[in-house]
Amino acid sequence: MMSELKLPELFGCDVFNEATMRQRLPEKVYLGWKNCIATGTQLPLDVANEIAEAMKNWATEKGATHYTHWFQPMTGITAEKHDSFISPTGDGRVIMEFSGKELVRGEPDASSFPSGGLRATFEARGYTAWDPTACAFVRDKSLYIPTCFFSYTGESLDKKTPLLRSMDEVSREAIRILRLFGDSDTKRVIASVGAEQEYFLLPKDLYAQREDLRLTGRTLFGAQPPKGQELDDHYFGTIRTRVSEFMRDLDEQLWRLGILSKTKHNEGAPCQHELAPIYTDANTACDGNQLTMAIMKKCAAKHNLVCLLHEKPFAGVNGSGKHNNWSLATDSGKNLFSPGKTPSQNARFLVFLAAFIAGVDEYQDFLRCTVATASNDHRLGANEAPPAIISIFLGDELTAIIQSIIDGTNYQEPEKGMLRIGVDVLPAIPKDTTDRNRTSPLAFTGNKFEFRMLGSSQSIAGPNIALNTIMAEELGKFADELEKAEDFDATLQKLVSKTLREHSRIIFGGNGYGDEWKEEAARRGLSNYPSAAQALPTYIDQKNIDLVTRHGVFTEAEFRARHVIHLESYNKVVNIEARTMVDMAQHQILPAALKYCHELCDTVNAKRSLDIPCKAESGMIADLTTHTEGLYEAINHLKKALTFVPKDRESAARYYHGTIIPLMDSLRTDADILEVLTAKEYWPYPTYSDILYY
């Protein structure tokens, strides 16, 4: 506990990290592991055995009795199967054993995880393989071993494996560029990520009373409270004691696991908060974010709270996203998106910047698909999140520099001449010279790009796989051209200028929320897919398939399987929400409103028998009757429509988006009016006012 350990001692104390390995392993074994990491070769069994023994001893000293291969199937969450360390001795006793074979490979049942057609239900065999680049850790009396997950026939069934492949690819292509700039020391380029996490905290007792929250993670009904977030009094406000205690507990648990939890604050909506980590390599960041989401939920329960990670738990107030801060750095710590102060550094920066701009423009649909979910549809495009149109914000000064390169004109800065890459007159490119643009999906923030479209509940693996892969593609094209150049500076100048000119349409610094941008984006030829149902068919465009297979990030079968899984997830989520709405409206809302109406009718009859005016009650009865009839009809329309869902996945997604969701909205309209009309003691579940201002 913090009372027993100082923070530097506490941090990473439950992680079998490199420092622990160096301390507990023989030097030969430690160096063997380091060599395997550096070269990507298989770990020899004798080395694995020694690591397993040391890992087991370390874990059992911390109270662990079991181990688990912790993996990330295509559900978007993590999975685990726990085995104990015990092994019988033959005389009625047991010993604690853990072999290199058990460390390196496991065999969980794969039949009930999404496979997108890669595996039939009866084909149950799946394997996990230790990811030696990720640290094992102890949690809940078990040793957790981060692993990849794949099928009996070798296809990837998880999110970690393609992420690791994409990291290797972007490193390989980035090093080709660095070599051209005279860097012979860098051995690896690291995709670095920091994922800011937004979330809601609610009292457990109020959450338990709402079927929609329990089954779908969001409120399917709810009239707007008298007060929302219009006073901006929650944003960065004083953190209430109960929440502060949760945050303190959460920080300690994350720090013990080596997760760099840095910042915490209240967000814009009531009951909404944010946690931001220091960024690290993409693989570690993805593991850390998955752990963070899981620990948030368990930690909240300890404090009699519930953590909601849904993108839009409450209509009318801000939803939750996940800002994915992405950059590239050398193994010596040099950020390749840091503008730099010398001409050679600037030239290198502009090459990486141009490659990123080209990649985002060429593969904007692919990026859009990586954040396309049923839950994120409620958030994207609203006045709280980026629009569904992909664009890049660079800031005024960097945009002006790029325009000068495109036009071949003078950059308007005092005492600077013609802007030519690699020439001494190129100015130092500044950082943070303009305000942030919170409406931009991809904003340059000094030395990294902030991808702001991710949903709060989703894995960050998919978006980072896409960013890594498109960057590898463009850097590879650049390297192909520059490696054969006779005049490097001239070729570089021409290449960067041509790339920026051809892809400048993706750069936009204005208000992404306005209708004017939609019109302007259409004129520029940018795609606009407001919903997942519209975006997901583009996922398997041939150019996307060619991209991921060319770089070995996915096989075509693996990539098509992801498309199937995304569509199935969308359809299932909307179906569950629609059926939950029907159930709540039919068995809770309608009976409550009718019961209250019946009481009013009894009051009217009693008053009339005494010849007492009952104008108020009569008017209320008329309003209640109008909307109970409307609700009853809406329930039946939605129930009937659910029986006609097409079998084909893409057709079903279009049907859910075009038919089912509008019927759900219609049903909600009458239900929310009835909430306002019905006396509070009759209403069957807590209202927005109850929950958001508990």
Side-chain angles (χ1 to χ4, degrees):
M1 300 297 290
M2 282 287 285
S3 58
E4 301 168 359
L5 293 174
K6 294 180 180 179
L7 181 50
E9 298 169 339
L10 178 85
F11 188 83
C13 68
D14 288 338
V15 183
F16 196 72
N17 52 28
E18 186 170 345
T20 304
M21 294 178 78
R22 190 185 303 116
Q23 177 187 358
R24 287 181 171 259
L25 294 174
E27 184 178 9
K28 181 180 178 181
V29 174
Y30 170 74
L31 293 176
W33 168 77
K34 287 282 287 183
N35 180 63
C36 290
I37 299 299
T39 60
T41 54
Q42 189 172 345
L43 203 68
L45 185 58
D46 60 332
V47 174
N49 281 330
E50 294 221 38
I51 294 175
E53 180 66 17
M55 196 182 285
K56 183 260 296 180
N57 291 338
W58 171 82
T60 54
E61 287 170 17
K62 291 184 168 293
T65 57
H66 289 69
Y67 69 93
T68 178
H69 277 198
W70 183 68
F71 58 101
Q72 300 173 30
M74 290 184 287
T75 55
I77 56 176
T78 58
E80 55 201 59
K81 181 187 76 170
H82 297 254
D83 290 297
S84 72
F85 289 120
I86 64 170
S87 180
T89 62
D91 59 358
R93 295 182 298 170
V94 297
I95 58 173
M96 305 285 268
E97 287 187 337
F98 185 51
S99 69
K101 183 179 178 182
E102 290 169 317
L103 166 65
V104 171
R105 183 162 166 158
E107 187 180 339
D109 186 338
S111 62
S112 295
F113 291 112
S115 72
L118 290 175
R119 304 288 286 152
T121 303
F122 66 86
E123 295 174 317
R125 195 179 297 277
Y127 297 105
T128 50
W130 178 37
D131 170 15
T133 66
C135 296
F137 55 92
V138 168
R139 180 174 174 230
D140 298 332
K141 305 296 183 183
S142 281
L143 172 66
Y144 280 70
I145 303 162
T147 58
C148 299
F149 181 47
F150 54 95
S151 73
Y152 177 73
T153 48
E155 295 99 343
S156 163
L157 295 175
D158 69 341
K159 293 180 176 288
K160 178 185 277 283
T161 303
L163 178 61
L164 291 171
R165 294 170 181 167
S166 72
M167 292 171 68
D168 287 343
E169 275 297 286
V170 74
S171 175
R172 182 174 65 83
E173 298 295 355
I175 286 174
R176 291 177 66 195
I177 296 293
L178 294 182
R179 294 290 183 265
L180 292 166
F181 281 92
D183 181 345
S184 59
D185 297 325
T186 298
K187 300 296 188 292
R188 184 167 181 82
V189 169
I190 300 156
S192 302
V193 172
E196 304 167 22
Q197 179 70 57
E198 294 176 341
Y199 61 98
F200 280 79
L201 286 178
L202 310 180
K204 190 188 297 184
D205 58 337
L206 298 180
Y207 167 88
Q209 296 174 55
R210 292 209 51 141
E211 182 183 351
D212 48 4
L213 282 177
R214 297 197 317 272
L215 297 186
T216 72
R218 75 179 181 103
T219 54
L220 301 172
F221 301 104
Q224 292 301 301
K227 177 189 176 186
Q229 63 186 74
E230 57 268 35
L231 295 179
D232 300 319
D233 52 344
H234 189 260
Y235 190 51
F236 278 51
T238 302
I239 301 170
R240 62 175 106 185
T241 302
R242 188 174 177 184
V243 173
S244 183
E245 290 172 352
F246 157 82
M247 288 178 167
R248 187 163 53 248
D249 190 0
L250 175 64
D251 272 340
E252 182 174 331
Q253 292 190 50
L254 295 178
W255 289 336
R256 294 183 72 96
L257 294 172
I259 296 171
L260 294 159
S261 176
K262 177 71 171 177
T263 305
K264 56 187 179 183
H265 62 83
N266 288 346
E267 255 299 334
C271 296
Q272 189 186 32
H273 314 280
E274 180 174 311
L275 177 152
I278 299 170
Y279 65 95
T280 182
D281 71 89
N283 185 35
T284 301
C286 186
D287 286 354
N289 186 251
Q290 291 285 7
L291 267 174
T292 297
M293 292 191 288
I295 292 171
M296 276 178 168
K297 292 183 177 182
K298 294 192 75 170
C299 187
K302 283 174 55 181
H303 294 267
N304 213 29
L305 296 166
V306 172
C307 176
L308 294 183
L309 295 174
H310 193 284
E311 283 70 14
K312 193 74 170 178
F314 303 97
V317 299
N318 279 7
S320 295
K322 187 143 44 188
H323 297 174
N324 188 89
N325 296 283
W326 179 90
S327 188
L328 295 176
T330 68
D331 48 16
S332 61
K334 296 177 182 176
N335 190 323
L336 298 175
F337 281 105
S338 183
K341 296 180 179 179
T342 67
S344 61
Q345 288 176 331
N346 282 347
R348 186 186 67 187
F349 163 73
L350 288 170
V351 167
F352 279 86
L353 179 65
F356 184 84
I357 290 169
V360 171
D361 185 32
E362 289 182 16
Y363 295 99
Q364 54 187 278
D365 294 353
F366 184 23
L367 278 174
R368 172 66 182 92
C369 287
T370 66
V371 296
T373 65
S375 52
N376 213 17
D377 277 0
H378 299 286
R379 174 181 158 268
L380 291 182
N383 290 336
E384 54 173 286
I389 305 165
I390 298 283
S391 65
I392 296 173
F393 171 78
L394 297 176
D396 294 342
E397 192 154 3
L398 190 51
T399 300
I401 289 172
I402 285 173
Q403 193 60 51
S404 295
I405 294 172
I406 293 172
D407 297 340
T409 59
N410 290 339
Y411 171 58
Q412 297 302 310
E413 184 177 81
E415 301 178 3
K416 297 295 181 183
M418 182 73 73
L419 230 171
R420 291 188 60 80
I421 298 167
V423 181
D424 288 340
V425 294
L426 184 71
I429 297 175
K431 290 172 56 177
D432 299 333
T433 57
T434 54
D435 200 358
R436 293 177 63 196
N437 187 330
R438 68 188 300 271
T439 73
S440 176
L442 272 160
F444 183 70
T445 55
N447 60 5
K448 61 187 183 298
F449 281 93
E450 185 179 36
F451 191 16
R452 302 181 66 252
M453 297 178 75
L454 281 69
S456 51
S457 65
Q458 75 171 100
S459 165
I460 66 171
N464 285 297
I465 290 167
L467 289 171
N468 293 342
T469 308
I470 64 176
M471 193 66 181
E473 171 74 4
E474 301 304 328
L475 290 176
K477 290 179 183 177
F478 283 14
D480 289 343
E481 190 162 341
L482 292 170
E483 285 169 350
K484 62 186 179 184
E486 295 181 4
D487 184 335
F488 180 78
D489 284 348
T491 304
L492 181 64
Q493 172 79 26
K494 182 179 178 181
L495 175 63
V496 171
S497 178
K498 176 175 179 288
T499 300
L500 293 174
R501 182 169 56 253
E502 290 177 351
H503 298 286
S504 61
R505 66 173 184 167
I506 202 72
I507 300 170
F508 175 67
N511 177 18
Y513 292 163
D515 289 335
E516 298 85 357
W517 169 230
K518 295 177 184 177
E519 297 168 4
E520 171 64 20
R523 284 194 294 271
R524 294 187 184 193
L526 301 179
S527 57
N528 180 9
Y529 301 110
S531 76
Q534 294 162 295
L536 286 174
T538 69
Y539 189 76
I540 52 171
D541 284 352
Q542 191 60 47
K543 73 172 184 177
N544 295 337
I545 294 173
D546 292 343
L547 171 73
V548 297
T549 55
R550 182 163 55 247
H551 290 277
V553 175
F554 294 103
T555 65
E556 182 170 346
E558 288 172 342
F559 194 64
R560 289 185 178 277
R562 268 77 180 167
H563 177 243
V564 170
I565 290 167
H566 295 329
L567 283 172
E568 287 181 343
S569 176
Y570 178 86
N571 295 339
K572 289 173 181 177
V573 166
V574 179
N575 182 266
I576 290 169
E577 289 184 348
R579 290 191 291 131
T580 302
M581 286 192 84
V582 167
D583 187 61
M584 290 180 69
Q586 190 165 289
H587 298 116
Q588 295 183 39
I589 299 171
L590 194 57
L594 290 173
K595 186 175 182 181
Y596 180 53
C597 189
H598 184 269
E599 181 187 292
L600 290 174
C601 289
D602 287 346
T603 301
V604 167
N605 290 333
K607 281 189 171 184
R608 283 177 176 168
S609 68
L610 298 172
D611 200 24
I612 297 174
C614 50
K615 185 176 181 180
E617 291 89 343
S618 297
M620 292 170 69
I621 290 168
D623 289 342
L624 283 164
T625 300
T626 296
H627 293 289
T628 52
E629 291 295 314
L631 184 70
Y632 180 73
E633 288 185 15
I635 291 170
N636 287 328
H637 287 158
L638 182 54
K639 285 167 66 176
K640 184 177 181 181
L642 285 170
T643 65
F644 293 107
V645 177
K647 299 295 183 185
D648 172 70
R649 295 182 190 91
E650 283 196 15
S651 299
R654 289 193 296 271
Y655 182 79
Y656 277 117
H657 174 67
T659 301
I660 297 298
I661 289 177
L663 290 174
M664 292 167 66
D665 292 341
S666 177
L667 175 56
R668 177 168 187 160
T669 298
D670 280 306
D672 289 354
I673 293 172
L674 287 171
E675 180 183 319
V676 175
L677 296 174
T678 304
K680 188 170 180 61
E681 60 266 28
Y682 286 86
W683 202 245
Y685 48 75
T687 64
Y688 277 20
S689 292
D690 298 328
I691 296 173
L692 294 175
Y693 299 96
Y694 66 90

